[in-house]
Coordinates of all heavy atoms in Angstrom, one line a residue:
M468 N 9.2 9.3 -13.2 CA 10.0 8.5 -12.3 C 9.4 8.6 -10.9 O 9.4 7.6 -10.1 CB 11.4 9.0 -12.3 CG 12.4 8.2 -11.5 SD 12.6 6.6 -12.3 CE 13.9 6.0 -11.4
R469 N 9.0 9.8 -10.5 CA 8.4 10.0 -9.1 C 7.1 9.2 -9.0 O 6.9 8.6 -7.9 CB 8.2 11.5 -8.9 CG 7.5 11.9 -7.6 CD 7.4 13.4 -7.5 NE 6.6 13.7 -6.4 CZ 5.2 13.9 -6.4 NH1 4.6 13.7 -7.6 NH2 4.6 14.1 -5.3
T470 N 6.3 9.2 -10.0 CA 5.0 8.5 -10.0 C 5.2 7.0 -9.8 O 4.6 6.4 -9.0 CB 4.2 8.8 -11.2 OG1 4.0 10.2 -11.3 CG2 2.9 8.1 -11.2
A471 N 6.2 6.5 -10.5 CA 6.5 5.1 -10.5 C 7.0 4.7 -9.1 O 6.6 3.7 -8.5 CB 7.6 4.7 -11.5
L472 N 7.8 5.5 -8.5 CA 8.3 5.3 -7.1 C 7.2 5.3 -6.1 O 7.1 4.4 -5.3 CB 9.4 6.3 -6.7 CG 9.9 6.2 -5.3 CD1 10.7 4.9 -5.2 CD2 10.8 7.4 -5.0
I473 N 6.3 6.2 -6.2 CA 5.1 6.3 -5.3 C 4.2 5.1 -5.5 O 3.8 4.5 -4.5 CB 4.4 7.6 -5.5 CG1 5.2 8.8 -5.1 CG2 3.0 7.6 -4.8 CD1 4.6 10.2 -5.4
L474 N 3.9 4.7 -6.7 CA 3.0 3.6 -6.9 C 3.7 2.3 -6.5 O 3.0 1.4 -5.9 CB 2.6 3.5 -8.4 CG 1.7 4.6 -8.8 CD1 1.3 4.5 -10.3 CD2 0.4 4.6 -8.0
L475 N 5.0 2.1 -6.7 CA 5.7 0.9 -6.3 C 5.7 0.8 -4.8 O 5.5 -0.3 -4.3 CB 7.1 0.9 -6.9 CG 8.0 -0.3 -6.5 CD1 7.4 -1.5 -7.2 CD2 9.4 -0.1 -7.0
A476 N 6.0 1.9 -4.1 CA 6.0 1.9 -2.6 C 4.6 1.6 -2.1 O 4.4 0.9 -1.1 CB 6.5 3.2 -2.1
A477 N 3.5 2.1 -2.7 CA 2.2 1.9 -2.3 C 1.8 0.4 -2.5 O 1.1 -0.2 -1.7 CB 1.2 2.8 -3.0
V478 N 2.1 -0.1 -3.6 CA 1.8 -1.5 -3.9 C 2.6 -2.4 -2.9 O 2.0 -3.4 -2.4 CB 2.2 -1.9 -5.3 CG1 2.2 -3.4 -5.5 CG2 1.3 -1.3 -6.3
F479 N 3.8 -2.1 -2.6 CA 4.6 -2.9 -1.6 C 3.9 -2.8 -0.2 O 3.7 -3.8 0.5 CB 6.0 -2.4 -1.5 CG 6.8 -3.1 -0.5 CD1 7.2 -4.4 -0.8 CD2 7.2 -2.5 0.7 CE1 8.0 -5.1 0.2 CE2 7.9 -3.2 1.6 CZ 8.3 -4.5 1.4
A480 N 3.5 -1.6 0.2 CA 2.9 -1.4 1.5 C 1.5 -2.2 1.5 O 1.2 -2.8 2.5 CB 2.7 0.1 1.8
G481 N 0.8 -2.1 0.5 CA -0.5 -2.8 0.4 C -0.3 -4.3 0.5 O -1.1 -5.0 1.1
G482 N 0.7 -4.8 -0.2 CA 1.0 -6.2 -0.2 C 1.4 -6.7 1.2 O 1.0 -7.8 1.6
V483 N 2.2 -5.9 1.9 CA 2.6 -6.3 3.3 C 1.4 -6.3 4.2 O 1.2 -7.2 5.0 CB 3.7 -5.3 3.8 CG1 3.9 -5.4 5.3 CG2 5.0 -5.4 3.1
V484 N 0.5 -5.3 4.1 CA -0.7 -5.3 4.9 C -1.6 -6.4 4.6 O -2.1 -7.1 5.5 CB -1.4 -3.9 4.8 CG1 -2.8 -4.0 5.4 CG2 -0.6 -2.8 5.4
A485 N -1.7 -6.7 3.3 CA -2.6 -7.9 2.9 C -2.0 -9.2 3.4 O -2.8 -10.0 4.0 CB -2.7 -7.9 1.4
A486 N -0.7 -9.4 3.3 CA -0.1 -10.6 3.8 C -0.3 -10.7 5.3 O -0.6 -11.8 5.8 CB 1.3 -10.6 3.4
L487 N 0.0 -9.7 6.1 CA -0.2 -9.7 7.5 C -1.6 -10.0 7.9 O -1.9 -10.7 8.9 CB 0.4 -8.5 8.1 CG 1.9 -8.3 8.1 CD1 2.3 -6.9 8.6 CD2 2.6 -9.4 8.8
T488 N -2.6 -9.3 7.2 CA -4.0 -9.5 7.5 C -4.4 -11.0 7.3 O -5.1 -11.6 8.1 CB -4.8 -8.6 6.7 OG1 -4.4 -7.3 6.9 CG2 -6.3 -8.8 7.0
Y489 N -3.9 -11.5 6.2 CA -4.2 -12.9 5.9 C -3.6 -13.9 6.9 O -4.3 -14.8 7.3 CB -3.8 -13.3 4.5 CG -4.1 -14.7 4.1 CD1 -5.4 -15.0 3.8 CD2 -3.2 -15.7 4.1 CE1 -5.8 -16.3 3.5 CE2 -3.5 -17.0 3.8 CZ -4.8 -17.3 3.5 OH -5.2 -18.6 3.2
L490 N -2.4 -13.6 7.3 CA -1.8 -14.5 8.3 C -2.5 -14.4 9.6 O -2.5 -15.4 10.4 CB -0.3 -14.1 8.4 CG 0.6 -14.5 7.2 CD1 2.0 -14.0 7.5 CD2 0.6 -16.0 7.0
S491 N -3.0 -13.3 10.0 CA -3.7 -13.1 11.3 C -5.1 -13.7 11.3 O -5.6 -14.1 12.3 CB -3.6 -11.7 11.7 OG -4.5 -10.9 11.0
S492 N -5.8 -13.6 10.2 CA -7.2 -14.0 10.2 C -7.6 -15.1 9.2 O -8.7 -15.6 9.3 CB -8.1 -12.8 9.8 OG -7.9 -12.4 8.5
A493 N -6.7 -15.5 8.3 CA -7.0 -16.5 7.3 C -8.2 -16.2 6.5 O -9.0 -17.1 6.1 CB -7.0 -17.9 7.9
N494 N -8.5 -14.9 6.3 CA -9.7 -14.5 5.5 C -9.1 -13.8 4.2 O -8.6 -12.7 4.3 CB -10.5 -13.6 6.3 CG -11.7 -13.1 5.6 OD1 -12.0 -13.5 4.5 ND2 -12.5 -12.2 6.3
G495 N -9.2 -14.5 3.1 CA -8.7 -14.0 1.9 C -9.3 -12.7 1.4 O -8.7 -11.7 1.0
A496 N -10.6 -12.6 1.5 CA -11.4 -11.4 1.0 C -11.0 -10.2 1.9 O -10.8 -9.1 1.4 CB -12.9 -11.7 1.0
G497 N -11.0 -10.4 3.2 CA -10.6 -9.3 4.1 C -9.2 -8.9 3.9 O -8.9 -7.7 3.9
A498 N -8.3 -9.8 3.6 CA -6.9 -9.4 3.3 C -6.8 -8.6 2.0 O -6.0 -7.6 2.0 CB -6.1 -10.7 3.2
V499 N -7.5 -8.9 1.0 CA -7.5 -8.2 -0.2 C -8.0 -6.8 0.0 O -7.4 -5.8 -0.4 CB -8.3 -8.9 -1.3 CG1 -8.5 -8.0 -2.5 CG2 -7.6 -10.2 -1.7
L500 N -9.2 -6.7 0.7 CA -9.7 -5.3 1.0 C -8.8 -4.5 1.8 O -8.6 -3.3 1.6 CB -11.1 -5.5 1.7 CG -12.2 -6.0 0.8 CD1 -13.5 -6.2 1.6 CD2 -12.5 -5.0 -0.4
A501 N -8.2 -5.1 2.8 CA -7.2 -4.4 3.7 C -6.0 -3.9 2.9 O -5.5 -2.8 3.0 CB -6.8 -5.2 4.8
G502 N -5.5 -4.7 2.0 CA -4.4 -4.4 1.1 C -4.7 -3.2 0.2 O -3.9 -2.3 0.0
I503 N -5.9 -3.3 -0.4 CA -6.3 -2.2 -1.3 C -6.4 -0.9 -0.6 O -6.0 0.2 -1.0 CB -7.6 -2.6 -2.1 CG1 -7.4 -3.7 -3.0 CG2 -8.2 -1.4 -2.8 CD1 -8.6 -4.3 -3.7
A504 N -7.1 -0.9 0.6 CA -7.2 0.3 1.4 C -5.9 0.8 1.8 O -5.6 2.0 1.8 CB -8.1 0.0 2.6
A505 N -5.0 -0.1 2.3 CA -3.7 0.4 2.7 C -2.9 1.0 1.5 O -2.1 2.0 1.7 CB -2.9 -0.8 3.4
G506 N -3.0 0.4 0.4 CA -2.3 0.9 -0.8 C -2.8 2.3 -1.2 O -2.0 3.1 -1.5
A507 N -4.1 2.5 -1.1 CA -4.6 3.8 -1.5 C -4.2 4.8 -0.5 O -3.8 6.0 -0.9 CB -6.1 3.7 -1.5
V508 N -4.3 4.5 0.8 CA -3.9 5.5 1.8 C -2.4 5.8 1.8 O -2.0 6.9 1.9 CB -4.3 5.0 3.2 CG1 -3.7 5.8 4.3 CG2 -5.8 5.0 3.3
S509 N -1.6 4.7 1.6 CA -0.1 5.0 1.5 C 0.3 5.7 0.3 O 1.3 6.5 0.3 CB 0.6 3.6 1.6 OG 0.3 2.8 0.5
A510 N -0.4 5.6 -0.9 CA -0.1 6.3 -2.0 C -0.3 7.8 -1.8 O 0.6 8.6 -2.2 CB -1.0 5.9 -3.2
K511 N -1.4 8.2 -1.1 CA -1.6 9.6 -0.7 C -0.5 10.0 0.2 O 0.1 11.1 0.1 CB -3.0 9.7 -0.1 CG -3.3 11.1 0.4 CD -3.4 12.1 -0.7 CE -3.9 13.4 -0.2 NZ -3.6 14.5 -1.1
G512 N -0.1 9.2 1.2 CA 0.9 9.6 2.1 C 2.3 9.7 1.5 O 3.0 10.7 1.8
F513 N 2.6 8.8 0.6 CA 3.9 8.9 -0.1 C 4.0 10.1 -1.0 O 5.0 10.7 -1.2 CB 4.2 7.6 -0.9 CG 4.5 6.4 0.0 CD1 4.0 5.2 -0.3 CD2 5.4 6.5 1.1 CE1 4.3 4.1 0.5 CE2 5.7 5.5 1.9 CZ 5.2 4.2 1.6
H514 N 2.8 10.4 -1.6 CA 2.8 11.6 -2.5 C 3.1 12.9 -1.7 O 3.8 13.7 -2.2 CB 1.4 11.7 -3.1 CG 1.1 13.0 -3.9 ND1 1.7 13.3 -5.1 CD2 0.3 14.0 -3.6 CE1 1.3 14.5 -5.5 NE2 0.5 14.9 -4.6
E515 N 2.5 13.0 -0.5 CA 2.8 14.1 0.3 C 4.2 14.1 0.9 O 4.9 15.1 1.1 CB 1.8 14.3 1.4 CG 0.4 14.6 0.9 CD -0.7 14.6 2.0 OE1 -0.3 14.4 3.2 OE2 -1.8 14.8 1.6
L516 N 4.7 12.9 1.2 CA 6.0 12.8 1.8 C 7.1 13.1 0.9 O 8.1 13.8 1.2 CB 6.2 11.3 2.3 CG 7.5 11.0 3.0 CD1 7.6 11.7 4.4 CD2 7.6 9.5 3.3
I517 N 7.0 12.6 -0.4 CA 8.1 12.8 -1.3 C 8.0 14.2 -1.9 O 9.1 14.9 -2.1 CB 8.0 11.8 -2.5 CG1 8.3 10.4 -1.9 CG2 9.0 12.1 -3.6 CD1 8.1 9.3 -2.9
G518 N 6.9 14.8 -2.0 CA 6.8 16.2 -2.6 C 7.0 16.2 -4.1 O 7.1 15.2 -4.7
S519 N 7.1 17.5 -4.6 CA 7.2 17.6 -6.0 C 8.5 18.2 -6.4 O 9.5 18.2 -6.1 CB 6.2 18.5 -6.6 OG 6.1 19.7 -5.9

């Protein structure tokens, strides 16, 4: 359950970053890369934030 919550929050954060990046630059490839990077970083952050 904890893993699902962390991954869901990371996907949501990555999606928000990707959408905002696309809206600001209209560059689809850059938005995808920004979303993937944000999702990976936020997954690590949520993992540490939620704890075990």
Side-chain angles (χ1 to χ4, degrees):
M468 186 71 169
R469 177 180 171 269
T470 303
L472 177 65
I473 289 171
L474 291 177
L475 181 64
V478 167
F479 179 74
V483 168
V484 169
L487 291 175
T488 302
Y489 182 75
L490 290 175
S491 70
S492 68
N494 182 0
V499 169
L500 289 175
I503 290 171
V508 169
S509 65
K511 176 70 174 160
F513 288 137
H514 171 69
E515 293 176 3
L516 181 67
I517 294 175
S519 52

